[in-house]
Amino acid sequence: MPSWIGAVILPLSGLLLSLPAGADVKARSCGEVRQAYGAKGFSLADIPYQEIAGEHLRICPQEYTCCTTEMEDKLSQQSKLEFENLVEETSHFVRTTFVSRHKKFDEFFRELLENAEKSLNDMFVRTYGMLYMQNSEVFQDLFTELKRYYTGGNVNLEEMLNDFWARLLERMFQLINPQYHFSEDYLECVSKYTDQLKPFGDVPRKLKIQVTRAFIAARTFVQGLTVGREVANRVSKVSPTPGCIRALMKMLYCPYCRGLPTVRPCNNYCLNVMKGCLANQADLDTEWNLFIDAMLLVAERLEGPFNIESVMDPIDVKISEAIMNMQENSMQVSAKVFQGCGQPKPAPALRSARSAPENFNTRFRPYNPEERPTTAAGTSLDRLVTDIKEKLKLSKKVWSALPYTICKDESVTAGTSNEEECWNGHSKARYLPEIMNDGLTNQINNPEVDVDITRPDTFIRQQIMALRVMTNKLKNAYNGNDVNFQDTSDEASGSGSGSGCMDDVCPTEFEFVTTEAPAADPDRREVDSSAAQLGHSLLSGSLVCIALALQRLCR
């Protein structure tokens, strides 16, 4: 045999291929590669029909190859696009979970508020007629503020509810004493006797805590769904580093260059590549799991003592009860106010001839839950919460699981059952290196991807901080404490939403956990702990505000 093989004319390229002395291997056909490459949508113009020398390759092994420089560049870009699509597809479940459930919960809460306002308006128009309509702005303001709070507005729930009851007391006090004229200063004095007189009975105290806790939980939960949605959407759009792109090309398409287009990567080889490329995403997992746990805790509150549906659905009936309490105790209330604030001046003759409207003596029938089928968003809070809890549990560890999910895809790797007949980065054989652990710092010895462990991804760190902040808010909401969602100057000065505490008493997580009672027995919570009592007083306070507003409406 001669010491060298002469020039071989290639049918496509016309290039001269010089083979080393002693070579006795006949150039293999690139037919399979041409077919696979064309199936990807690429032009066949630059693909050789037979293998050529591979000194020009920058990523794949520089041996006899079916790849030209142009092919390697195109396949490298293709591997980047396929990786980005794989991550997006693999994270599709968690992204759609947060997108769809955020939309559903938000739609439900908004419609719930609209229904509650409409129900109250319809009920009071029937009962009070013009008296209500002339003063309806008091109640409209209440629901406007509740909606503004829910949508993230800078509203202090406790102060807003206290103000509502104070306004309602002023209106009703004038209605039950039409023979007198009350100045603004006198009415302010009347308001100061609200806590002492308890003109609306126990309703304001109960309603205040129920409204406060329920709205804190509802708003925080929807905010949590928003943050989860945004983080998932952002993290699923990866920007692979140059080192990652090289590793992807070597894993996915260097088999093409070696004339082995049907040979898929070894499973463990794929895992090391993906762990290197998704090292920063894996670092998100710890904070993500804490966030999911906090979301599940608040979801439990929404099912139990902080159920906004059970608070808002009968709110019109509760407010009417408060107004009836005020009416029944009107003489005692007026006497105590006159004693404390002084005898008011008689009203002008026209006004003094007026008497308390007969319509105001109307009795409300007891509230029957069966009369109110759930209509908000065509579902109920319990059904929504049950569904989202199942989905949230499936979302845990989603980011550290990405490499495993991607690499078990049969369209990507050869699978775990074919460890000898797979691409190991150099040839069709078993992949021997050990699998790296998750996270950035564990990639220092990754044999496949060049990872700079000293430079964490800034974008991922921002998402970690967003999750950390949201988790803290969820924990506060779980304990019934309010949190601010906007860093405004007002909030910074302490004028934002309240802490959820009353009378210098803040219920603790332990108290909430140990004092919960079945929804069918709400009064039990009231005697179980001071926290529950505080909750009912908050709820009652909000009802009182509603009753006062109603009286103004009835004026």
Side-chain angles (χ1 to χ4, degrees):
M1 176 181 288
S3 60
W4 58 277
I5 299 177
V8 177
I9 300 177
L10 297 177
L12 176 66
S13 64
L15 300 176
L16 295 178
L17 173 63
S18 296
L19 300 178
D24 55 359
V25 181
K26 183 179 180 180
R28 291 182 298 181
S29 169
C30 293
E32 281 189 278
V33 177
R34 289 175 60 84
Q35 184 178 1
Y37 189 72
K40 293 288 181 182
F42 296 116
S43 170
L44 302 180
D46 295 327
I47 307 180
Y49 284 91
Q50 291 179 302
E51 291 182 331
I52 58 175
E55 291 87 350
H56 56 281
L57 298 178
R58 296 187 297 272
I59 299 176
C60 297
Q62 294 183 333
E63 302 174 5
Y64 285 105
T65 182
C66 288
C67 283
T68 61
T69 300
E70 291 76 15
M71 286 178 63
E72 191 179 41
D73 290 341
K74 289 180 180 179
L75 289 173
S76 181
Q77 182 64 22
Q78 179 69 15
S79 65
K80 173 180 178 294
L81 294 175
E82 289 184 8
F83 169 70
E84 292 170 348
N85 290 335
L86 279 170
V87 175
E88 271 208 85
E89 291 171 6
T90 305
S91 61
H92 180 263
F93 168 78
V94 68
R95 288 186 291 112
T96 55
T97 291
F98 280 90
V99 170
S100 62
R101 270 53 185 187
H102 173 271
K103 180 179 179 181
K104 198 68 175 176
F105 269 88
D106 185 59
E107 179 186 23
F108 176 82
F109 288 136
R110 289 175 185 269
E111 191 169 327
L112 184 67
L113 295 178
E114 292 291 341
N115 289 351
E117 182 175 14
K118 182 179 184 301
S119 178
L120 184 144
N121 182 74
D122 292 346
M123 182 183 194
F124 286 2
V125 166
R126 291 194 305 269
T127 304
Y128 298 103
M130 286 301 298
L131 291 175
Y132 168 77
M133 290 183 279
Q134 290 169 358
N135 297 275
S136 61
E137 80 280 355
V138 177
F139 296 98
Q140 291 172 358
D141 290 346
L142 170 69
F143 281 97
T144 296
E145 288 301 286
L146 289 174
K147 293 173 188 176
R148 193 163 74 88
Y149 174 84
Y150 167 71
T151 56
N154 185 19
V155 177
N156 186 307
L157 276 180
E158 293 180 18
E159 292 180 2
M160 183 272 292
L161 292 171
N162 288 337
D163 180 64
F164 167 78
W165 288 110
R167 292 177 66 192
L168 186 55
L169 176 58
E170 291 177 9
R171 296 287 179 100
M172 289 192 68
F173 191 76
Q174 295 176 81
L175 286 172
I176 62 178
N177 294 285
Q179 68 275 31
Y180 296 108
H181 170 72
F182 301 101
S183 65
E184 290 298 324
D185 290 341
Y186 195 98
L187 291 176
E188 185 177 348
C189 179
V190 173
S191 298
K192 293 179 181 178
Y193 279 83
T194 303
D195 292 338
Q196 179 182 339
L197 298 175
K198 292 183 171 50
F200 300 106
D202 206 31
V203 172
R205 182 184 66 82
K206 292 181 178 180
L207 192 58
K208 189 173 184 180
I209 187 60
Q210 292 171 7
V211 167
T212 301
R213 289 182 178 180
F215 271 79
I216 289 171
R219 180 172 83 162
T220 308
F221 192 75
V222 171
Q223 288 283 342
L225 292 174
T226 301
V227 170
R229 178 191 67 189
E230 295 304 314
V231 169
N233 283 337
R234 291 167 182 167
V235 175
S236 64
K237 299 184 184 301
V238 294
S239 297
T241 63
C244 171
I245 295 174
R246 289 180 60 87
L248 291 168
M249 168 61 193
K250 184 178 179 182
M251 180 184 81
L252 296 173
Y253 287 112
C254 282
Y256 279 49
C257 297
R258 290 303 310 275
L260 304 169
T262 61
V263 178
R264 302 194 184 282
C266 300
N267 185 74
N268 290 353
Y269 175 33
C270 173
L271 285 175
N272 274 344
V273 171
M274 293 301 163
K275 289 196 174 194
C277 288
L278 298 170
N280 283 282
Q281 282 75 7
D283 283 347
L284 185 74
D285 225 35
T286 299
E287 205 61 50
W288 176 266
N289 293 338
L290 293 174
F291 162 71
I292 295 297
D293 287 339
M295 287 288 290
L296 290 169
L297 287 175
V298 176
E300 291 177 4
R301 288 293 195 232
L302 290 174
E303 288 180 309
F306 298 2
N307 188 316
I308 192 173
E309 186 175 23
S310 65
V311 172
M312 293 306 297
D313 194 39
I315 197 169
D316 52 357
V317 177
K318 296 296 184 182
I319 294 172
S320 73
E321 291 175 4
I323 293 173
M324 289 301 99
N325 287 329
M326 173 70 179
Q327 178 184 337
E328 292 170 359
N329 300 315
S330 59
M331 293 184 65
Q332 299 93 317
V333 170
S334 297
K336 290 182 179 179
V337 170
F338 294 161
Q339 182 180 0
C341 298
Q343 190 68 22
K345 297 179 180 180
L350 180 62
R351 184 181 180 94
S352 63
R354 294 172 54 191
S355 59
E358 290 184 7
N359 283 349
F360 202 67
N361 292 320
T362 301
R363 298 298 180 191
F364 292 92
R365 17 185 206 111
Y367 170 64
N368 183 357
E370 295 181 359
E371 295 177 5
R372 289 177 196 275
T374 298
T375 57
T379 185
S380 70
L381 185 59
D382 288 342
R383 287 195 290 270
L384 286 176
V385 172
T386 298
D387 171 70
I388 190 62
K389 284 171 63 177
E390 295 175 357
K391 299 297 190 298
L392 288 174
K393 290 174 183 177
L394 295 175
S395 299
K396 293 191 70 173
K397 299 183 179 180
V398 64
W399 306 112
S400 61
L402 277 179
Y404 299 91
T405 306
I406 292 173
C407 293
K408 74 177 181 181
D409 189 333
E410 294 181 355
S411 67
V412 178
T413 69
T416 56
S417 61
N418 196 12
E419 296 183 1
E420 300 293 341
E421 300 292 317
C422 56
W423 174 253
N424 66 8
H426 302 280
S427 61
K428 185 172 70 171
R430 175 183 290 269
Y431 182 76
L432 299 178
E434 65 176 340
I435 302 174
M436 298 293 101
N437 290 324
D438 301 327
L440 185 63
T441 57
N442 290 317
Q443 307 311 309
I444 187 171
N445 294 318
N446 192 310
E448 309 304 335
V449 187
D450 183 16
V451 181
D452 186 353
I453 65 170
T454 65
R455 299 182 63 183
D457 187 291
T458 303
F459 180 75
I460 295 296
R461 301 300 138 173
Q462 290 173 348
Q463 309 314 307
I464 290 175
M465 287 305 301
L467 289 172
R468 191 168 297 165
V469 170
M470 191 65 240
T471 299
N472 183 59
K473 293 175 180 178
L474 289 164
K475 289 179 178 178
N476 276 292
Y478 175 78
N479 286 325
N481 299 326
D482 207 352
V483 287
N484 294 320
F485 290 102
Q486 299 175 351
D487 295 325
T488 64
S489 58
D490 288 340
E491 288 174 332
S493 65
S495 62
S497 298
S499 65
C501 305
M502 292 182 64
D503 303 325
D504 297 324
V505 178
C506 288
T508 63
E509 179 176 337
F510 173 77
E511 288 173 325
F512 277 117
V513 171
T514 57
T515 61
E516 288 182 14
D521 187 17
D523 290 334
R524 177 183 172 187
R525 291 197 300 270
E526 186 178 349
V527 298
D528 279 344
S529 71
S530 60
Q533 293 173 0
L534 170 62
H536 284 300
S537 68
L538 283 170
L539 176 57
S540 301
S542 61
L543 285 176
V544 170
C545 294
I546 299 175
L548 288 173
L550 176 58
Q551 285 187 325
R552 285 191 177 181
L553 298 171
C554 300
R555 186 177 175 182

